[in-house]
Amino acid sequence: MQTLKTIIVEDEEVSRDILRNYLQKYCPKIELVGEASNIEEGLSLIRNQTLDLVFLDVEMPHGNAFDLLEQVGDRSFETVFVTAYNQYAIEALNTHASYYLLKPISIDELIKAVDYVVQIKEKENALEDKVLTAFSSDKQGKITIPVQDGFEVLEAASILYCQADDNYTQIFLTGGGKKLVSKTLKYFQDALTDFGFARVHKSYLVNINEVTGYRKGKGGTVVLSSGKEVMVSASQKANLLAYFK
């Protein structure tokens, strides 16, 4: 899997330095994207980026780790508590902490904690990929598209056409909106073929039900219900015209 976007929330500078050095030296899956010395700074980091993991000291000035998590509310990141006190372990479990590390930090325990979070995230990603694939091959006229915090369900009929944008795809909707999705055009070709979509060019996939005309040429162009004209490659021309026999 990719690296875990991680922050450290710890009020003691020496403790931050030790944890940062250990993570950089022994945990290659960690991508450290920020550090905070108090709850306010920690909240700011959490709210301004998408994180996979937060290392939390329990006791900090003006509150503690549990106060911070209460203010965050629903969260998608995992937490590893790092503290010199073992009396918070049960409360940490009640907040669904992934791991509880006691200071001074054991390198072996730190590696175990990170590996455990990696396993959690890999299982989540595998399940999400399975859900996306299942929805995309569904016959109910709907597909799912991944977004930053989950996925959206789209009616296939609401898609006018799709346009390749490097490893992304621009989805243009019949209602006039559009969405940029981190999937290739080939992904959508496979997902939408059963719903009446045709690949007419290396960069375009169109909804056949929204085609209102065709203009001749070496490949020509198709005219869509919105008035948009989309190029047709010579190699795809016969496949397109077969839909209108």
Side-chain angles (χ1 to χ4, degrees), residues 68-120:
L68 183 151
L69 293 176
E70 186 176 350
Q71 292 182 63
V72 169
D74 290 338
R75 62 184 189 269
S76 60
F77 58 83
E78 300 298 318
T79 55
V80 172
F81 282 80
V82 185
T83 178
Y85 309 97
N86 58 19
Q87 65 263 34
Y88 297 110
I90 293 176
E91 194 170 356
L93 289 174
N94 290 336
T95 62
H96 308 290
S98 298
Y99 217 90
Y100 195 89
L101 292 173
L102 284 173
K103 298 177 182 176
I105 296 173
S106 160
I107 294 171
D108 288 341
E109 285 298 309
L110 176 62
I111 293 172
K112 285 181 183 179
V114 171
D115 286 346
Y116 184 64
V117 174
V118 168
Q119 291 175 25
I120 292 172

Side-chain angles (χ1 to χ4, degrees), residues 189-225:
Q189 181 182 352
D190 294 340
L192 291 167
T193 296
D194 291 340
F195 303 143
F197 282 72
R199 185 78 172 259
V200 297
H201 187 276
K202 68 178 183 179
S203 297
Y204 293 102
L205 179 73
V206 301
N207 185 344
I208 293 299
N209 294 320
E210 296 295 328
V211 173
T212 60
Y214 171 77
R215 304 194 191 284
K216 291 182 179 180
K218 184 175 181 181
T221 60
V222 288
V223 183
L224 302 177
S225 58

Side-chain angles (χ1 to χ4, degrees), residues 55-192:
F55 283 91
L56 275 174
D57 184 18
V58 176
E59 294 190 346
M60 289 177 283
H62 312 298
N64 60 35
F66 306 110
D67 298 324
L68 183 151
L69 293 176
E70 186 176 350
Q71 292 182 63
V72 169
D74 290 338
R75 62 184 189 269
S76 60
F77 58 83
E78 300 298 318
T79 55
V80 172
F81 282 80
V82 185
T83 178
Y85 309 97
N86 58 19
Q87 65 263 34
Y88 297 110
I90 293 176
E91 194 170 356
L93 289 174
N94 290 336
T95 62
H96 308 290
S98 298
Y99 217 90
Y100 195 89
L101 292 173
L102 284 173
K103 298 177 182 176
I105 296 173
S106 160
I107 294 171
D108 288 341
E109 285 298 309
L110 176 62
I111 293 172
K112 285 181 183 179
V114 171
D115 286 346
Y116 184 64
V117 174
V118 168
Q119 291 175 25
I120 292 172
K121 288 298 181 179
E122 285 179 341
K123 288 177 181 178
E124 287 179 358
N125 293 339
L127 180 59
E128 288 172 359
D129 288 344
K130 187 175 182 180
V131 169
L132 286 169
T133 301
F135 270 74
S136 298
S137 60
D138 200 348
K139 306 301 181 186
Q140 302 304 314
K142 298 179 181 180
I143 67 164
T144 56
I145 60 172
V147 294
Q148 187 174 23
D149 57 352
F151 64 83
E152 290 182 20
V153 179
L154 283 183
E155 296 280 350
S158 71
I159 300 174
L160 185 64
Y161 71 98
C162 302
Q163 181 177 357
D165 188 355
D166 292 326
N167 289 324
Y168 289 77
T169 297
Q170 295 270 10
I171 298 178
F172 292 82
L173 304 175
T174 55
K178 67 178 181 178
K179 298 178 180 293
L180 180 64
V181 183
S182 58
K183 292 286 185 181
T184 64
L185 190 61
K186 178 64 165 59
Y187 172 88
F188 286 102
Q189 181 182 352
D190 294 340
L192 291 167

